[in-house]
Amino acid sequence: MLQPYRTLGLVNGKTAKPFLQRRGTEYFITCAIDSVLQLYNISKLRLKGCSPILVRGGTETVIKSVVCWKDWTFVASFDTILVFQRLQLKEDWKEHTKEISQLLIFGDVLLSVSSAEQRVIVWDLSSHEKLSEFYLSVGFSVTCVEHPETYLNKVLLASEQGQLQLWNVRTCRLLYEFESFGCAITSMRSTPVLDIVALGLSDGRTILFHLKRNQKVMEFFHQKSSQNMNHLSIDQVSSSDGCPVLDIAFRSDGYSEMAVSYSDGSIVFFDLKQREVKYKLNRVHLGGAWFIQYLLGEPLLVTAGQRDNCIKVHISDRDMEPPRLLRFREGHMMPPFRLRFAADNPRILLSCSIDRELRLISLFRDAQSKGFSQQVSSLIGGKRKRKHLRKRKGIEIGAPLHIQEDIRGILPCICAIAVGSLRSRDAEFADIVTCHQGCLEAYCWKLENGTLTHKVLSRKSVTKDATHLSGMKRSGHRLEQATCVAISPCGHFASIGTDLGMLDLYNLQSGSYRGSWTDEHCHSRAHLLAVTGVEFDNLGETLVSASTDGLLKFWSRQELKLLYTTEIGIPIVQIVWGYVCNLLAVLCDNFQIYLVDPETKQIARRFIGHRGPLTDAQFSGDGYFLLSSSLDGSLRVWNIQLGHCVDIYEFEHAPTSIAFSPNNDFIATCHSNCVGIALWSNQHHFKTNTVFNHSFFATHQEQILSRLPHIGAFQRHLPTMNSLQENLFWNPKKEKSSSGFTLSGKPLHYLLTVVNWDIVKKRSQPQQPVKKQVEAPFFLSNVLGTESSLGSRENIHQKAIDHKAYSSTASQLIACLVQHDAEKMNDGSQDEEALQLLRKMNPTSIELEVEGLRDYDNGKECRIFLDFLIRQLHARRDVDLIESVLAVFLKQRGLELVSFTEIERQLHEALQVQTEVMNQLESLLDEIDGWTDGLSWIA
């Protein structure tokens, strides 16, 4: 049922630094994500290509370094260098015996450095041959490699011990070893000035070093905790306070600026003429930007983070102001754990992650993906009103609620989310409601704007000094927190359940509290224990709540009273309402799933099979299937009607959430320890699947999926545009495969008119018979009769011309086929000429052509015409037009064909070839159906 399509949300990896390359007038950046290469253009940061998954010995191999040269990309993967041409693997070089740590290209030479075996190999890029190799001294662990400008055949090797060596790669000779800098060299970059290189150290120092003079030119220092930075002298440096340097970049558009990125996420811009700090950008990348580089001759700075899964482009277009963010691409920096599709837009996916961020992800356009803003704002009213609302809701003005240095989000981590119908015209209504860990309040979001609204759903007003966001204890009592939420189908109401058993109702337009459901047996609460699930019915009149006390309770929304209680007897983890099949899925603590009928309030099905705690469940869009995920690493597909499991998938990383597209065509899953979101195509939606019985799974227990789909998986599993054009459009000058189909290019209404021409004629007949014109008196013949007679003569003459033209055209078609049958020619020229004539005919001419076939000599012309159609079906040429003409031929002359004795064999052959064509065409359409549907969404 699940077919890998692609992975969403992956932008940059953690294993290898990106590589920036200029091709023509445009810049491209190549990023490595575990075992896949991705290519982005800098102008719009759009994904331009993706490589296949790199597999070695049946397992995915991790990329450690990436460099590019012209159309070639060189990748270091363990002890092998993989050579790609336009992201297609061409060859591999195996000379190292241990892991390769660094790759460097200068000129037409490639250097591969292995710190584990203390070995450096030099490769010729033109011939792809090994030139030379040399070994490093013991204890010299290479951290970075750089080629100084104008230094022919020479490279600088920096070590973790703080040493710097200059080597000649042609002679394989050590030219000079500089004195140690006292700590590890973490970054090295050649400067625009000759003989000077920039060195970044692990203690926070940045040194401009003159190679020929063997002395320091400038030195800068950055402290971890200090917000104000100055140029410090060497005796003021303390290694314990320094922040390690990650990368260095120099501006080349006429400004003497140096940008240095540090591990605390900041980027500092130094003015080299004034020898002072010019600007500082804080929290550019969480965990630090391990790649920064200016575009040649442009004020654009490209940065990439190692941990935050983000690429940014900054522009310095204003004097005396720091660079501003121009464009960026980012995804979750930590694994997401909850997925939901937008109710009214099947191409938008919402995801919640451990990094406290709520993101909108587009299935087909990465440029439309974005993170929801957590800065509180009001959608209506002026500045004074927004200020008043924020004060009333207890949110401090001008300051975030809580900031943690290693994550993006301000609000605590989301523990529950509900997505309602999109109300773009109603500015006051929220579309999304979220519950957060340690918070009793639920926050409202606007999907159209991608922002947090001013409405906070709470039973009581909260003052500014409230500590509801900290999740701490107050006065010795545990704070109450929201655990689940649901939005009514109408979008007006939201219900929130808490861990103390309370169940509240709110109005989404005003954000006001409407009341609480209570049970007299539960001490003025809805449940004795924590509420774990809440759902509205199709009409929004009935609410269902579940709790760890093992009870399902049905409530009236209008009267706020209890209607019915169903005892499950097992602690309930989650409930999911299937609006199409009108069933309620109850996920229990014993790893079982119960289906409850809301009408009878009884258990209708019970699904047993998971061996670990259940994480999520979702109904399919058509209501036939239920998908469930568990921490045992499995995802199961249950047939609701049969009550059996029909598909089992097991993953290395356990699935934590499932989302079914409203159109029932795509399924999204997120997995533990995986930042990306796996997108699968629903094969049951695109083709008819065989439903297996329970005895099949008694012998075939599991279907193992070795890996999740990567970002370019759909390029491997589905045909490309070029292959589709070759299969669907025929060119007589090209050699065509036997499995290719060609179409005539005729519009659909033309083909339908050809097949149903008799119905069209009948519908076009006049409702009343044509009245005969009254003859005029003889003395008025010159006024009326002459013109009428002339007009009738002209009409008769025109009809004769049209009939002559028709007869000529028909005679040419029959003549071509008769000549072909008489001469037995196999070059196909007569068939091509006859097919061209058939393409030019209108529906009337085709019908007259079929009716004009004479039945002399035992239906000779009918047999020749049928042979022509069979030959075109065998050749798969103009399949749509030939099938339409064949339908007209059998409809018009079917009864006469039965009387011909020699045509029976041809009719059987026509039936056989038509069956083959339709089966093959159906198979091709099933294969490309998912691709074409996705393409229609993109268009």
Side-chain angles (χ1 to χ4, degrees):
M1 183 173 180
L2 301 183
Q3 181 70 23
Y5 189 74
R6 64 175 300 192
T7 295
L8 305 170
L10 292 179
V11 179
N12 186 28
K14 305 178 181 180
T15 58
K17 281 188 177 183
F19 190 87
L20 187 65
Q21 183 189 26
R22 182 176 181 177
R23 299 295 295 155
T25 59
E26 192 170 2
Y27 285 88
F28 298 91
I29 184 170
T30 304
C31 302
I33 301 179
D34 295 334
S35 57
V36 179
L37 292 176
Q38 295 179 195
L39 182 66
Y40 293 91
N41 63 344
I42 298 299
S43 60
K44 294 185 179 180
L45 283 183
R46 289 184 177 176
L47 183 65
K48 307 300 290 185
C50 184
S51 72
I53 297 179
L54 304 182
V55 180
R56 177 181 177 181
T59 59
E60 298 181 11
T61 179
V62 179
I63 298 173
K64 292 297 183 181
S65 182
V66 178
V67 290
C68 300
W69 180 72
K70 296 182 180 181
D71 290 338
W72 299 88
T73 302
F74 301 90
V75 172
S77 176
F78 193 64
D79 59 349
T80 307
I81 298 177
L82 304 176
V83 183
F84 290 82
Q85 185 179 22
R86 298 183 182 273
L87 297 180
Q88 297 298 322
L89 182 61
K90 295 299 181 181
E91 55 182 311
D92 55 354
W93 302 342
K94 294 184 179 180
E95 287 290 339
H96 290 277
T97 58
K98 295 183 179 180
E99 184 177 4
I100 301 173
S101 57
Q102 301 285 338
L103 291 179
L104 175 67
I105 288 182
F106 63 97
D108 56 352
V109 173
L110 171 67
L111 251 68
S112 59
V113 182
S114 176
S115 298
E117 60 176 339
Q118 303 290 315
R119 185 184 182 190
V120 180
I121 299 180
V122 184
W123 306 85
D124 187 357
L125 296 179
S126 300
S127 61
H128 290 191
E129 295 180 355
K130 175 182 173 182
L131 292 179
S132 59
E133 64 174 312
F134 57 90
Y135 288 86
L136 305 173
S137 59
V138 179
F140 190 88
S141 300
V142 179
T143 56
C144 44
V145 188
E146 184 65 25
H147 166 66
E149 297 293 339
T150 71
Y151 280 57
L152 186 63
N153 301 328
K154 297 175 181 64
V155 294
L156 281 171
L157 301 180
S159 69
E160 189 176 352
Q161 294 75 25
Q163 299 172 348
L164 189 65
Q165 294 180 354
L166 182 64
W167 285 80
N168 189 317
V169 298
R170 292 292 182 179
T171 61
C172 299
R173 192 163 57 91
L174 177 61
L175 300 179
Y176 192 80
E177 183 173 357
F178 300 90
E179 294 181 1
S180 175
F181 292 91
C183 60
I185 302 175
T186 56
S187 177
M188 182 167 52
R189 185 65 63 95
S190 179
T191 67
V193 182
L194 298 181
D195 303 327
I196 298 179
V197 295
L199 304 176
L201 306 182
S202 60
D203 60 359
R205 288 182 293 165
T206 304
I207 299 175
L208 298 184
F209 190 78
H210 200 291
L211 297 177
K212 286 187 176 181
R213 298 178 183 177
N214 191 12
Q215 66 180 12
K216 301 175 184 177
V217 179
M218 296 183 190
E219 183 173 346
F220 302 92
F221 178 67
H222 175 58
Q223 291 180 333
K224 291 182 180 179
S225 58
S226 177
Q227 296 297 329
N228 299 321
M229 294 178 27
N230 300 306
H231 173 64
L232 303 178
S233 60
I234 186 62
D235 54 354
Q236 294 178 293
V237 174
S238 174
S239 60
S240 60
D241 296 333
C243 191
V245 177
L246 298 184
D247 204 359
I248 305 172
F250 290 90
R251 194 168 172 180
S252 60
D253 60 339
Y255 291 84
S256 56
E257 284 187 14
M258 178 181 66
V260 183
S261 65
Y262 297 93
S263 60
D264 62 352
S266 62
I267 298 180
V268 182
F269 299 86
F270 296 93
D271 189 341
L272 299 181
K273 289 184 178 180
Q274 302 296 330
R275 297 193 176 192
E276 63 181 9
V277 175
K278 192 174 182 179
Y279 312 116
K280 178 184 177 182
L281 298 179
N282 293 316
R283 292 174 58 89
V284 178
H285 290 277
L286 299 179
W290 71 336
F291 172 83
I292 61 173
Q293 185 173 343
Y294 276 102
L295 301 189
L296 184 62
E298 299 182 29
L300 297 179
L301 178 65
V302 182
T303 63
Q306 183 179 10
R307 292 176 46 201
D308 60 353
N309 189 26
C310 180
I311 298 176
K312 296 182 179 181
V313 179
H314 304 265
I315 182 171
S316 302
D317 56 351
R318 301 174 183 175
D319 293 337
M320 305 306 296
E321 290 187 10
R324 61 181 178 88
L325 184 62
L326 181 62
R327 63 182 69 95
F328 67 97
R329 288 285 180 271
E330 66 178 3
H332 283 296
M333 63 175 297
M334 295 182 182
F337 61 88
R338 186 64 68 196
L339 302 176
R340 289 296 178 263
F341 274 96
D344 300 327
N345 196 340
R347 73 181 71 181
I348 291 180
L349 181 68
L350 300 173
S351 63
C352 308
S353 174
I354 306 174
D355 58 9
R356 301 183 178 182
E357 192 175 24
L358 176 63
R359 292 194 62 82
L360 181 149
I361 299 177
S362 175
L363 299 189
F364 304 106
R365 290 190 178 183
D366 294 335
Q368 295 180 354
S369 301
K370 61 181 179 181
F372 279 74
S373 173
Q374 296 189 14
Q375 296 295 331
V376 181
S377 63
S378 176
L379 300 179
I380 57 175
K383 182 178 180 180
R384 182 175 298 179
K385 185 175 182 179
R386 291 196 299 268
K387 182 177 180 180
H388 169 70
L389 289 172
R390 294 174 72 176
K391 281 187 175 181
R392 184 166 59 89
K393 295 301 178 181
I395 301 173
E396 188 175 353
I397 301 174
L401 298 176
H402 181 66
I403 293 180
Q404 189 172 334
E405 293 297 332
D406 57 344
I407 58 177
R408 293 192 186 129
I410 298 175
L411 295 173
C413 183
I414 296 175
C415 60
I417 181 172
V419 183
S421 58
L422 179 63
R423 305 179 68 97
S424 58
R425 296 184 178 180
D426 300 328
E428 299 181 358
F429 281 88
D431 310 312
I432 306 169
V433 180
T434 57
C435 299
H436 300 259
Q437 293 181 359
C439 298
L440 174 62
E441 293 76 19
Y443 292 89
C444 301
W445 310 74
K446 191 67 176 176
L447 179 61
E448 183 182 13
N449 299 343
T451 57
L452 178 68
T453 68
H454 67 274
K455 300 181 181 67
V456 180
L457 308 183
S458 177
R459 286 196 301 269
K460 56 183 179 179
S461 61
V462 183
T463 59
K464 282 182 58 175
D465 58 347
T467 59
H468 63 279
L469 292 175
S470 62
M472 300 173 59
K473 294 183 178 181
R474 183 176 55 185
S475 302
H477 299 283
R478 182 173 60 87
L479 290 177
E480 184 180 8
Q481 69 178 42
T483 55
C484 54
V485 62
I487 298 178
S488 62
C490 62
H492 285 78
F493 301 97
S495 177
I496 299 175
T498 69
D499 59 345
L500 297 184
M502 296 297 296
L503 191 61
D504 306 325
L505 181 67
Y506 298 89
N507 185 285
L508 286 181
Q509 182 179 11
S510 61
S512 59
Y513 170 71
R514 294 301 186 188
S516 299
W517 288 274
T518 58
D519 188 354
E520 59 183 6
H521 302 291
C522 298
H523 308 290
S524 300
R525 291 182 294 176
H527 291 270
L528 290 175
L529 300 179
V531 180
T532 56
V534 57
E535 289 285 350
F536 282 95
D537 67 346
N538 293 329
L539 301 178
E541 298 297 330
T542 303
L543 182 77
V544 183
S545 63
S547 173
T548 53
D549 57 9
L551 296 179
L552 274 180
K553 294 186 177 182
F554 296 81
W555 311 84
S556 172
R557 181 186 61 81
Q558 293 183 350
E559 301 177 1
L560 297 180
K561 68 177 183 179
L562 181 63
L563 299 178
Y564 193 85
T565 301
T566 299
E567 183 176 358
I568 304 297
I570 303 168
I572 300 174
V573 178
Q574 182 184 351
I575 59 174
V576 180
W577 192 293
Y579 290 102
V580 177
C581 57
N582 197 26
L583 290 174
L584 186 68
V586 182
L587 284 64
C588 296
D589 201 18
N590 61 349
F591 316 148
Q592 298 181 11
I593 302 175
Y594 297 87
L595 292 186
V596 177
D597 187 355
E599 298 295 334
T600 62
K601 312 296 190 299
Q602 301 298 321
I603 297 176
R605 293 284 189 276
R606 186 176 67 167
F607 296 142
I608 304 175
H610 284 292
R611 302 182 302 274
L614 300 173
T615 57
D616 200 3
Q618 286 290 305
F619 285 92
S620 60
D622 53 11
Y624 288 109
F625 298 98
L626 175 69
L627 269 70
S628 61
S629 60
S630 171
L631 289 182
D632 59 5
S634 67
L635 188 149
R636 292 175 178 256
V637 183
W638 310 90
N639 187 296
I640 297 177
Q641 294 181 350
L642 299 178
H644 295 153
C645 179
V646 295
D647 260 331
I648 305 176
Y649 301 89
E650 282 207 347
F651 304 95
E652 180 182 359
H653 303 283
T656 56
S657 184
I658 311 170
F660 235 115
S661 171
N663 288 350
N664 202 37
D665 49 0
F666 286 104
I667 302 167
T669 60
C670 60
H671 301 257
S672 60
N673 300 326
C674 294
V675 178
I677 298 173
L679 187 64
W680 313 80
S681 60
N682 182 13
Q683 294 302 299
H684 178 77
H685 175 75
F686 295 118
K687 64 172 66 174
T688 303
N689 285 8
T690 303
V691 179
F692 301 100
N693 54 24
H694 187 67
S695 61
F696 173 83
F697 286 93
T699 56
H700 304 79
Q701 285 295 324
E702 282 135 12
Q703 176 182 355
I704 306 296
L705 293 186
S706 59
R707 52 180 174 264
L708 298 175
H710 73 295
I711 196 165
F714 66 98
Q715 297 176 356
R716 298 187 295 109
H717 292 280
L718 296 179
T720 61
M721 173 64 80
N722 294 333
S723 62
L724 291 176
Q725 290 177 347
E726 292 176 359
N727 288 336
L728 295 179
F729 300 98
W730 179 75
N731 189 349
K733 297 182 180 180
K734 295 183 179 180
E735 183 178 356
K736 179 173 63 68
S737 61
S738 59
S739 61
F741 283 84
T742 65
L743 303 178
S744 62
K746 298 289 186 181
L748 179 61
H749 64 83
Y750 172 87
L751 301 175
L752 293 176
T753 304
V754 170
V755 176
N756 304 289
W757 184 243
D758 53 343
I759 301 177
V760 174
K761 288 196 304 181
K762 184 177 180 181
R763 186 180 59 189
S764 301
Q765 289 180 354
Q767 298 294 333
Q768 298 179 355
V770 181
K771 296 181 178 180
K772 186 177 180 181
Q773 186 177 2
V774 180
E775 294 183 359
F778 69 94
F779 54 84
L780 294 178
S781 59
N782 292 333
V783 179
L784 297 176
T786 305
E787 294 180 359
S788 177
S789 61
L790 288 176
S792 61
R793 291 176 183 178
E794 291 178 359
N795 293 337
I796 294 173
H797 181 66
Q798 183 65 32
K799 291 181 179 179
I801 294 176
D802 293 343
H803 180 72
K804 184 178 181 180
Y806 158 72
S807 301
S808 175
T809 303
S811 63
Q812 290 178 10
L813 178 61
I814 296 299
C816 289
L817 298 177
V818 171
Q819 183 179 1
H820 178 275
D821 186 67
E823 300 178 2
K824 303 295 183 182
M825 299 179 64
N826 297 323
D827 58 353
S829 59
Q830 282 75 15
D831 273 4
E832 179 64 29
E833 184 179 355
L835 188 59
Q836 290 293 340
L837 291 173
L838 190 61
R839 290 171 181 167
K840 297 178 182 179
M841 291 182 181
N842 54 31
T844 305
S845 301
I846 292 177
E847 186 189 26
L848 292 177
E849 181 70 29
V850 173
E851 291 181 352
L853 296 176
R854 293 174 292 180
D855 55 358
Y856 71 94
D857 194 8
N858 202 12
K860 181 178 180 180
E861 289 189 359
C862 292
R863 287 186 282 110
I864 293 176
F865 187 75
L866 184 58
D867 281 336
F868 165 71
L869 299 180
I870 293 175
R871 287 195 300 271
Q872 304 311 310
L873 290 178
H874 276 298
R876 309 294 196 265
R877 299 177 59 184
D878 290 6
V879 176
D880 53 348
L881 179 60
I882 298 300
E883 288 283 354
S884 302
V885 175
L886 180 60
V888 174
F889 176 72
L890 296 178
K891 183 186 295 186
Q892 297 290 339
R893 312 300 295 269
L895 297 178
E896 300 179 20
L897 296 178
V898 179
S899 60
F900 302 146
T901 57
E902 300 180 3
I903 206 171
E904 182 178 359
R905 177 191 60 81
Q906 293 171 297
L907 292 176
H908 283 291
E909 184 181 0
L911 177 62
Q912 181 180 1
V913 67
Q914 188 182 23
T915 303
E916 293 176 358
V917 169
M918 296 308 298
N919 291 338
Q920 192 173 359
L921 185 60
E922 182 180 0
S923 176
L924 178 62
L925 291 177
D926 285 341
E927 182 181 0
I928 68 176
D929 197 2
W931 183 90
T932 55
D933 188 68
L935 187 63
S936 65
W937 281 358
I938 297 176

